[in-house]
Amino acid sequence: MCTYKGNAGHLMQHWTLCELLVTASRHTSGTSGLSFIDAHAMAPLANERQVNDALFTHVESCLPNRCESAYESAWHHLAPSGGYPNSAAFVEKVWEGDFSLLLCEINPTTNAKLEPWLQRVNNLERCKTAELFQGDWRRRIEKGLPSPSATGLADGSLTLISFDPYMYSRHQVAKKRKGNLYPEDIKLAMRATDSLESGMLIQLSTYSANGDNAQGAVISSVDSVMGPKGFALCGKMKVHGNMMSLVYARNVSWAAELTELPGRFEKWLAAVKQGVQLALIH
């Protein structure tokens, strides 16, 4: 059985992802597509929740009556009977144009769930390629990343890479945790992007940005690696003071529009928090 946290981090990560997809779709010509690459794919639909989080519970319990965002609408469609979708499922639902998938997942049980889902998705006319790499994402990226055109998408299609580690650590450590992300991992990813010339977005979510890896220190560390490669930070979505989702862009002409996302997320999250308070009163 595949588990999911069911916490505010999911709200932050996937609200952001869905808004990136919606924004990007407004700027496509109708012929370009999306190459989605996920370093931590997770199950298409996880069914065992691990955490009791009031914010997550409130949003889930208000579906389908409260579908005020692309994220909420997609969540209800993908999991009408409960459970929680992964990022690739949100991509399939929210992105209406052509797309390709490269999903990396290290857990064998999760991969057993991903395989039949990918077979179905790969049969869709608008899905050009659907690849599952079973193992540590680093081994796949060492081989290089496919350009959108190599996956069957039109030239100039957008590449969106998602990193969803337990945490980003800016420190060099002797024994690394595979589920974490480190500066050398970002350097590896940057080398893999060198050959990609079309527009790129990278979403990096971390759930323990505190202490020695506080938010500001994490951003400075990531900036120092990604900045020289032409990536600029466009937005920071955060909850609980230690969870944050960073959005970086390169060669994206409409990237300035993404600077509006943090304010919009804060407004959406404030409404969720108010709903939780009202529910407690009643």
Side-chain angles (χ1 to χ4, degrees), residues 130-191:
E131 176 188 345
L132 174 61
F133 180 77
Q134 302 189 36
D136 189 334
W137 66 269
R138 298 167 182 86
R139 304 290 80 80
R140 176 60 183 84
I141 288 187
E142 283 175 347
K143 301 176 182 180
L145 293 176
S147 66
S149 59
T151 69
L153 294 170
D155 289 340
S157 293
L158 180 70
T159 297
L160 170 55
I161 303 177
S162 172
F163 290 104
D164 179 27
Y166 296 125
M167 67 173 292
Y168 176 85
S169 173
R170 62 192 180 92
H171 301 292
Q172 302 288 343
V173 294
K175 188 174 182 180
K176 298 180 177 62
R177 187 180 181 185
K178 287 185 177 180
N180 289 351
L181 197 67
Y182 300 90
E184 54 263 45
D185 296 327
I186 301 294
K187 292 176 182 176
L188 171 64
M190 291 297 98
R191 290 194 294 272

Side-chain angles (χ1 to χ4, degrees), residues 74-184:
W75 181 359
H76 170 64
H77 175 88
L78 294 166
S81 301
Y84 195 73
N86 69 352
S87 296
F90 280 110
V91 168
E92 183 207 352
K93 175 59 182 172
V94 177
W95 183 264
E96 297 180 351
D98 292 344
F99 66 95
S100 66
L101 299 174
L102 168 52
L103 308 182
C104 303
E105 177 54 54
I106 200 169
N107 185 282
T109 301
T110 304
N111 280 318
K113 300 287 186 181
L114 280 166
E115 286 179 321
W117 183 85
L118 271 179
Q119 290 174 5
R120 177 191 66 79
V121 172
N122 203 24
N123 287 327
L124 298 174
E125 183 177 353
R126 59 194 183 92
C127 181
K128 303 307 177 183
T129 307
E131 176 188 345
L132 174 61
F133 180 77
Q134 302 189 36
D136 189 334
W137 66 269
R138 298 167 182 86
R139 304 290 80 80
R140 176 60 183 84
I141 288 187
E142 283 175 347
K143 301 176 182 180
L145 293 176
S147 66
S149 59
T151 69
L153 294 170
D155 289 340
S157 293
L158 180 70
T159 297
L160 170 55
I161 303 177
S162 172
F163 290 104
D164 179 27
Y166 296 125
M167 67 173 292
Y168 176 85
S169 173
R170 62 192 180 92
H171 301 292
Q172 302 288 343
V173 294
K175 188 174 182 180
K176 298 180 177 62
R177 187 180 181 185
K178 287 185 177 180
N180 289 351
L181 197 67
Y182 300 90
E184 54 263 45

Side-chain angles (χ1 to χ4, degrees), residues 30 119 133 234 258 265 269 276 282:
Q119 290 174 5
F133 180 77
C234 298
L258 300 177
F265 177 69
L269 188 63
V276 172
H282 292 92

Side-chain angles (χ1 to χ4, degrees), residues 1-254:
M1 184 173 290
C2 294
T3 63
Y4 65 103
K5 290 291 186 183
N7 61 13
H10 282 309
L11 306 182
M12 171 193 72
Q13 178 194 0
H14 286 133
W15 182 95
T16 301
L17 174 63
C18 290
E19 291 302 314
L20 289 176
L21 296 170
V22 170
T23 304
S25 68
R26 290 201 298 266
H27 293 275
T28 59
S29 63
T31 58
S32 58
L34 175 73
S35 174
F36 180 68
I37 301 168
D38 197 343
H40 313 90
M42 307 300 290
L45 185 66
N47 43 27
E48 184 177 337
R49 184 173 169 183
Q50 295 180 319
V51 175
N52 183 18
D53 181 279
L55 295 177
F56 184 94
T57 298
H58 178 74
V59 177
E60 182 180 43
S61 65
C62 288
L63 300 176
N65 296 324
R66 186 188 187 277
C67 285
E68 299 179 4
S69 65
Y71 165 53
E72 290 162 288
S73 297
W75 181 359
H76 170 64
H77 175 88
L78 294 166
S81 301
Y84 195 73
N86 69 352
S87 296
F90 280 110
V91 168
E92 183 207 352
K93 175 59 182 172
V94 177
W95 183 264
E96 297 180 351
D98 292 344
F99 66 95
S100 66
L101 299 174
L102 168 52
L103 308 182
C104 303
E105 177 54 54
I106 200 169
N107 185 282
T109 301
T110 304
N111 280 318
K113 300 287 186 181
L114 280 166
E115 286 179 321
W117 183 85
L118 271 179
Q119 290 174 5
R120 177 191 66 79
V121 172
N122 203 24
N123 287 327
L124 298 174
E125 183 177 353
R126 59 194 183 92
C127 181
K128 303 307 177 183
T129 307
E131 176 188 345
L132 174 61
F133 180 77
Q134 302 189 36
D136 189 334
W137 66 269
R138 298 167 182 86
R139 304 290 80 80
R140 176 60 183 84
I141 288 187
E142 283 175 347
K143 301 176 182 180
L145 293 176
S147 66
S149 59
T151 69
L153 294 170
D155 289 340
S157 293
L158 180 70
T159 297
L160 170 55
I161 303 177
S162 172
F163 290 104
D164 179 27
Y166 296 125
M167 67 173 292
Y168 176 85
S169 173
R170 62 192 180 92
H171 301 292
Q172 302 288 343
V173 294
K175 188 174 182 180
K176 298 180 177 62
R177 187 180 181 185
K178 287 185 177 180
N180 289 351
L181 197 67
Y182 300 90
E184 54 263 45
D185 296 327
I186 301 294
K187 292 176 182 176
L188 171 64
M190 291 297 98
R191 290 194 294 272
T193 68
D194 281 343
S195 61
L196 303 182
E197 297 181 355
S198 57
M200 291 192 65
L201 296 175
I202 294 180
Q203 181 182 0
L204 193 165
S205 301
T206 176
Y207 305 96
S208 298
N210 50 37
D212 233 9
N213 288 291
Q215 291 184 359
V218 165
I219 292 172
S220 294
S221 176
V222 176
D223 280 354
S224 69
V225 180
M226 294 182 63
K229 292 293 186 176
F231 285 91
L233 179 63
C234 298
K236 177 182 73 173
M237 279 49 65
K238 58 182 180 178
V239 292
H240 294 339
N242 61 348
M243 298 179 180
M244 67 176 178
S245 195
L246 306 176
V247 176
Y248 286 83
R250 184 177 76 185
N251 296 335
V252 176
S253 61
W254 41 268

